[in-house]
């Protein structure tokens, strides 16, 4: 089954409405009209709400998306598997976000705006990549081989570098931007651009936003091929990505203080990528789905849950980093 134009229009209108609610009604401001940091409790509630929406959408697909009960069951399971994969991979973005905001000293109150616009850009980029990827796979079925080999290589590369931490302030792209753009010495509130002495200037906050967008682009190069191993239906691939990305901002504020404890998560994600790549190759050589979708779902869930559980157990007793105070250095409190 292919989604009708009304499926696409209705779904994207609902997503746009959620983003507007988050930016307006659910965005707190202080007495001066400036945004306030997102409390961990609020972020946890939002994260749970977005996961609940994804589960509700799964049930909607189960009863509505498909001509037959078998097709509806297959499509809904593909969505759930794709969502779990995309959600798991999106957690890896949080490591980079935490590092970026810490290195640039972005006050917690301004992080909300950067992530909001970062998510809008991510949705647009991923939508384009999904449409292009779907067209390529339908025109050239051997693309599955390239995607499969790429995922195995990417997973192996991630596994080897799992314990390394790159400094985003040393990025060649950042150096190029600083040479080409007039950058202010410090932040100007939550503005991305300002006009000073008659000259249009960009603030360091815009540089952070650009790096956030590029980070998601690099991660999408792994995650988009990964979900194509589960489904080639563009509507399923797109919606699974959207639900994972929508909850990313809330998940950042919920996990930023403890993300350093997820010591083995990258190891688990790298293994998932290699397994998904192997599944894609097996599907191509078998001329169909060699590995049932439910097996991929169970394997992904087990590996991710196991890596998180092992991480939390190995790092028990470590400190929580609290970055909720705008403009201040992180304060560490014992668990």
């Amino acid at each position: 089954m292919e989604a009708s134009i009304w499926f696409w229009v209705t779904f994207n209108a609902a997503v746009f409405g959620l983003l507007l609610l988050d930016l307006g009604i659910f965005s707190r401001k202080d007495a001066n009209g400036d945004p306030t940091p997102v409390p961990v409790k609020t972020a946890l509630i939002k994260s749970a709400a977005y996961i609940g929406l994804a589960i509700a959408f799964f049930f909607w697909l189960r009863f509505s998306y498909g001509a037959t009960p078998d097709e509806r069951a297959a499509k809904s399971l593909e969505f759930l598997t794709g969502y779990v994969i995309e959600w798991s991979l999106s957690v890896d973005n949080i490591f980079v976000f935490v590092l970026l905001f810490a290195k640039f000293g972005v006050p917690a109150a301004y992080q909300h705006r950067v992530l909001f616009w970062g998510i809008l850009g991510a949705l647009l980029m991923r939508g384009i990549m999904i449409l292009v990827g779907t067209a390529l796979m339908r025109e050239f079925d051997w693309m599955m081989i390239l995607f499969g080999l790429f995922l195995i290589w990417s997973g192996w590369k991630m596994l080897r570098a799992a314990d390394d931490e790159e400094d985003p302030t040393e990025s060649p792209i950042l150096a190029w931007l600083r040479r080409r753009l007039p950058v202010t010495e410090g932040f100007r509130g939550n503005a991305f651009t300002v006009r000073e002495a008659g000259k249009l200037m960009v603030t360091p906050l815009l540089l952070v936003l650009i790096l956030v967008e590029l980070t998601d682009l690099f991660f999408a190069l792994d995650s988009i091929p990964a979900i194509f191993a589960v489904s080639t239906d563009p509507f399923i691939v797109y919606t699974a990505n959207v639900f994972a990305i929508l909850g990313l901002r809330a998940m950042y504020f919920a996990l930023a203080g403890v993300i350093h404890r997820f010591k083995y998560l990258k190891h688990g994600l790298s293994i998932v990528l290699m397994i998904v790549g192997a599944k894609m190759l097996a599907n191509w050589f078998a001329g169909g789905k060699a590995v049932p979708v439910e097996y991929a779902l169970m394997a992904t869930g087990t590996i991710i849950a196991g890596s998180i559980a092992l991480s939390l157990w190995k790092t028990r007793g470590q400190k929580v980093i609290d970055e909720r105070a705008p403009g201040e250095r992180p304060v560490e409190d014992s668990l």
Side-chain angles (χ1 to χ4, degrees):
M1 175 182 176
E2 292 290 341
S4 69
I5 186 64
W6 294 111
F7 277 74
W8 288 94
V9 170
T10 303
F11 181 80
N12 283 296
V15 169
F16 186 67
L18 281 173
L19 290 173
L20 288 180
L21 283 174
D22 207 356
L23 180 64
I25 296 176
F26 299 134
S27 179
R28 293 184 175 184
K29 297 184 184 297
D30 59 22
N32 298 321
D34 296 323
T36 60
V38 179
V40 173
K41 181 179 179 181
T42 301
L44 287 171
I45 293 173
K46 285 185 178 181
S47 295
Y50 279 119
I51 293 173
L53 281 175
I55 294 174
F57 188 74
F58 160 77
F59 282 109
W60 178 83
L61 291 173
R62 192 80 170 188
F63 294 106
S64 304
Y65 190 70
T68 65
D70 288 343
E71 186 178 6
R72 290 193 290 270
K75 292 292 185 181
S76 60
L77 191 59
E78 287 175 2
F79 165 79
L80 184 60
T81 305
Y83 171 71
V84 171
I85 291 174
E86 294 299 320
W87 183 89
S88 303
L89 291 171
S90 70
V91 177
D92 202 22
N93 290 38
I94 296 177
F95 285 98
V96 181
F97 294 163
V98 169
L99 192 59
L100 271 173
F101 291 148
K103 290 291 185 179
F104 280 87
V106 180
Y110 304 155
Q111 295 171 11
H112 180 278
R113 187 165 189 246
V114 172
L115 293 177
F116 175 83
W117 289 106
I119 284 174
L120 279 182
L123 291 175
L124 178 61
M125 286 189 297
R126 290 187 179 226
I128 294 172
M129 292 178 68
I130 288 167
L131 291 177
V132 172
T134 301
L136 287 174
M137 292 191 66
R138 289 182 175 178
E139 188 69 25
F140 310 106
D141 64 342
W142 48 264
M143 288 294 297
M144 291 189 70
I145 298 179
L146 295 183
F147 283 167
L149 292 174
F150 173 76
L151 288 174
I152 293 173
W153 172 80
S154 183
W156 173 247
K157 184 180 177 183
M158 181 188 292
L159 185 62
R160 293 185 61 186
D163 297 321
D164 298 338
E165 185 177 279
E166 296 182 1
D167 187 347
T169 59
E170 297 178 358
S171 166
I173 296 174
L174 179 61
W176 184 86
L177 289 172
R178 288 190 181 279
R179 289 196 303 269
R180 298 295 190 277
L181 299 174
V183 184
T184 61
E185 287 298 324
F187 297 108
R188 300 296 187 267
N190 66 350
F192 292 126
T193 60
V194 292
R195 188 171 291 278
E196 296 184 350
K199 183 179 181 181
L200 184 64
M201 307 278 289
V202 304
T203 69
L205 204 63
L206 181 62
L207 300 183
V208 175
L209 175 60
I210 293 172
L211 292 179
V212 165
E213 297 285 14
L214 290 175
T215 295
D216 185 76
L217 177 61
F218 294 144
F219 278 107
L221 294 177
D222 289 334
S223 64
I224 299 299
I227 196 173
F228 276 131
V230 175
S231 176
T232 55
D233 184 331
F235 187 69
I236 296 296
V237 174
Y238 177 72
T239 53
N241 267 273
V242 167
F243 276 109
I245 293 298
L246 277 178
L248 180 60
R249 186 161 52 113
M251 190 163 54
Y252 165 80
F253 289 107
L255 299 180
V258 295
I259 195 67
H260 63 289
R261 291 191 57 193
F262 289 25
K263 183 177 180 180
Y264 299 108
L265 179 60
K266 288 191 176 183
H267 298 77
L269 291 175
S270 63
I271 294 172
V272 167
L273 283 179
M274 288 188 284
I275 290 176
V276 170
K279 179 183 183 300
M280 186 170 277
L281 293 177
N283 288 347
W284 188 86
F285 285 110
K289 291 188 176 179
V291 181
V293 175
E294 53 268 28
Y295 289 0
L297 175 60
M298 288 188 293
T300 301
T302 300
I303 292 171
I304 297 303
S307 63
I308 292 176
L310 179 62
S311 298
L312 295 178
W313 183 73
K314 284 284 190 178
T315 59
R316 61 193 184 281
Q318 284 193 10
K319 297 176 180 179
V320 173
I321 299 176
D322 185 357
E323 294 180 283
R324 287 172 291 177
E328 295 182 359
R329 293 179 62 82
V331 179
E332 297 189 351
D333 300 306
S334 299
L335 283 175

